[in-house]
Amino acid sequence: MKDEDRFGGYTPWRATRFYVPLLIQAFSQCLTYPLVAAIVSHGPTGVSTLTAFAQGQTVMFLIGAIGGGLIMTGMVFARTRAGYLNFIRLNTWMMTTLIAVQLVAAMPPFDALIFKHALNLPPDLAETARQTLLWGAPLQATFFVRNVPLVILFNARASAAANNATFIRILLTILASYLFVHIGWTGAMWGLVAMTIPTFAELAFTYVFARRYVRELPNVLNNVKDVKDLNAPNGPNDSALAQFRFTMPLALGGFLLAAAPLMVATFVGRTTDHVAMLAIHYVTIGLANAIGYAALRIQAVTIQFPPEHDNDRRMLRYAIAAGLSLGLLLVLPALPWIADWYFRIVQNIPPEDIGKTQAVMLLYAAWPVLQTVRGYMEGFAAVRRRPNAVLSGQVAYLGTLIAVLAATLHLGMPGWLMGVTAIILATIATTAAVRIHLRVLR
């Protein structure tokens, strides 16, 4: 890639060249979860096993989400050699601490408090969820270690290289999902194996692709315009402590955001026929998250191509157009023949519930444009070194989510409809909160 493409200002072509690999990577990473779900839901207890597996992973991701701001932190700070080395120290410390928390949560009495009491799982499913959380520790570690090469690739605008590593992961997961189901390796533990081994491979290739860019890291940033950041860190400002202070609001916000699936499960778990309702929620959110997460990667694009003046709305218009395009993809699973094949045959959803999954997917089609606008606002806040603005948005997300879930439960809304309604309204609240924070607290 030419230097002008790696470090030049915004043009639709440069933004697209950077964003499309991120989009494909995010979509591919999230696609692994529906693939693994096919392995899990064909286990001895059918789709009920998927509910327990998803609950165990939800707790795992909730713990890991405390490190969810590390990628954004690295994109801001790890642009010099000192910043990069201190980012590794911070990433390692947070990884070690959070994996210890995960292991403790999978042990008595905490496992019973989480899965039997809070999430209302019957004893056999609670044990499946506990095992998923316990043996998910290597997968969690891989996600953290992967932060380091990903930051290097993103800052070099080499998102295509990160995408290539993810393609390897997705191909291996596709192969595992086909083979495991056909030879009878099904259930939660085999699903976890099918997630973990391909992720190890992705990590290895990501490190290989990032090596050349690590060698190119400067000792100081002599030309801050190269990164479009007039407050670019140098020297002591790159310290691990400075990075920790920056990432903590993002960490708290990430934890609140990751608590959302648990909140959905808690409220939907108290509706009529809650196991079936949760199954519908998990198989639909698995697809919606693949697109929604891809839409949210506009955060990284905004950091690389921030507005050049107060009235510069080019990146915002780009984000809206990207979200509208992505929303069309979520209409496809609602088409009758696709819905019958994917939800009934692949995911083992009962025929009488297929219509509900189609309705949910049509509602989720509006979500990507909300996510891209949210991603733009959060990326803009990161460029302005305002992590508290991102935190305020994520507090608004969880608060709105809980309020909507409580209201819909009280009003008797069907369980399968509660999650999508709450998630869409909470995303709108997030964007509004970040915008207000940036405007009021200049």
Side-chain angles (χ1 to χ4, degrees):
M1 184 183 294
K2 297 179 181 178
D3 283 346
E4 64 184 45
D5 286 330
R6 283 181 59 188
F7 301 114
Y10 171 86
T11 66
W13 165 244
R14 287 175 184 159
T16 301
R17 184 169 180 173
F18 181 72
Y19 179 50
V20 167
L22 289 180
L23 187 156
I24 296 172
Q25 181 196 43
F27 177 75
S28 299
Q29 286 177 341
C30 289
L31 184 61
T32 61
Y33 301 110
L35 289 170
V36 169
I39 297 173
V40 177
S41 62
H42 282 81
T45 58
V47 74
S48 297
T49 306
L50 176 59
T51 298
F53 180 79
Q55 300 283 44
Q57 289 219 309
T58 296
V59 176
M60 184 184 86
F61 292 141
L62 174 63
I63 295 169
I66 298 176
L70 286 168
I71 290 286
M72 194 179 293
T73 300
M75 290 187 69
V76 173
F77 285 90
R79 296 180 179 274
T80 63
R81 189 164 299 279
Y84 169 69
L85 294 175
N86 284 318
F87 174 72
I88 293 176
R89 293 186 183 97
L90 174 63
N91 189 70
T92 302
W93 179 82
M94 293 190 71
M95 175 185 69
T96 304
T97 302
L98 293 174
I99 289 177
V101 171
Q102 179 174 332
L103 294 175
V104 170
M107 301 296 179
F110 304 104
D111 61 322
L113 291 173
I114 295 169
F115 298 117
K116 291 182 181 178
H117 301 295
L119 295 176
N120 200 30
L121 289 176
D124 57 331
L125 296 184
E127 177 59 20
T128 298
R130 186 191 80 84
Q131 292 285 339
T132 301
L133 179 62
L134 177 65
W135 296 107
L139 182 64
Q140 183 86 282
T142 305
F143 290 148
F144 272 94
V145 176
R146 190 184 61 187
N147 288 339
V148 175
L150 280 181
V151 161
I152 291 295
L153 292 173
F154 291 166
N155 281 344
R157 295 191 186 172
S159 52
N163 187 40
N164 291 337
T166 301
F167 270 136
I168 295 170
R169 173 186 172 186
I170 195 71
L171 288 174
L172 290 174
T173 307
I174 291 172
L175 179 63
S177 67
Y178 176 81
L179 289 177
F180 283 21
V181 170
H182 280 77
I183 63 180
W185 291 358
T186 57
M189 290 302 99
W190 284 115
L192 195 58
V193 170
M195 286 186 69
T196 304
I197 294 176
T199 306
F200 284 167
E202 179 191 34
L203 171 63
F205 280 97
T206 305
Y207 258 103
V208 170
F209 297 149
R211 283 187 306 176
R212 57 166 291 201
Y213 301 108
V214 174
R215 293 193 293 266
E216 295 175 1
L217 284 173
N219 291 323
V220 295
L221 292 172
N222 295 317
N223 183 0
V224 295
K225 292 182 180 180
D226 283 347
V227 294
K228 300 294 182 184
D229 182 0
L230 297 180
N231 295 313
N234 283 290
N237 291 333
D238 286 339
S239 69
L241 180 59
Q243 294 186 39
F244 178 73
R245 288 170 177 164
F246 180 88
T247 205
M248 279 314 295
L250 302 177
L252 178 58
F255 178 81
L256 294 175
L257 198 61
L262 280 178
M263 293 301 102
V264 174
T266 298
F267 282 92
V268 176
R270 282 155 176 77
T271 61
T272 302
D273 197 16
H274 68 277
V275 173
M277 296 298 98
L278 283 169
I280 293 171
H281 168 68
Y282 283 125
V283 298
T284 53
I285 195 63
L287 290 176
N289 269 341
I291 302 298
Y293 181 49
L296 200 57
R297 299 307 286 272
I298 284 289
Q299 287 174 337
V301 185
T302 304
I303 292 173
Q304 289 296 325
F305 302 98
E308 297 179 1
H309 51 79
D310 288 343
N311 296 319
D312 186 358
R313 299 289 183 270
R314 294 175 298 169
M315 191 61 225
L316 177 59
R317 289 193 292 269
Y318 183 92
I320 293 172
L324 290 171
S325 301
L326 290 171
L328 295 176
L329 295 177
L330 289 179
V331 176
L332 296 178
L335 298 177
W337 68 273
I338 295 179
D340 184 71
W341 167 77
Y342 180 74
F343 293 116
R344 184 177 65 84
I345 298 175
V346 176
Q347 297 295 358
N348 206 26
I349 293 293
E352 61 271 20
D353 289 334
I354 300 301
K356 300 181 182 71
T357 64
Q358 291 175 277
V360 172
M361 294 313 303
L362 287 175
L363 290 172
Y364 272 129
W367 192 40
V369 69
L370 302 176
Q371 284 284 83
T372 53
V373 174
R374 169 189 164 187
Y376 167 81
M377 293 304 304
E378 292 180 345
F380 183 77
V383 170
R384 292 292 181 263
R385 301 291 180 85
R386 301 284 294 278
N388 286 331
V390 179
L391 173 60
S392 69
Q394 292 166 339
V395 170
Y397 184 95
L398 185 61
T400 303
L401 189 89
I402 293 173
V404 173
L405 287 169
T408 53
L409 179 63
H410 177 73
L411 294 172
M413 179 179 284
W416 59 269
L417 191 56
M418 288 170 57
V420 61
T421 302
I423 287 169
I424 288 176
L425 293 178
T427 304
I428 295 172
T430 301
T431 305
V434 176
R435 175 67 173 168
I436 291 170
H437 193 286
L438 290 174
R439 294 283 292 181
V440 174
L441 302 177
R442 288 180 177 272

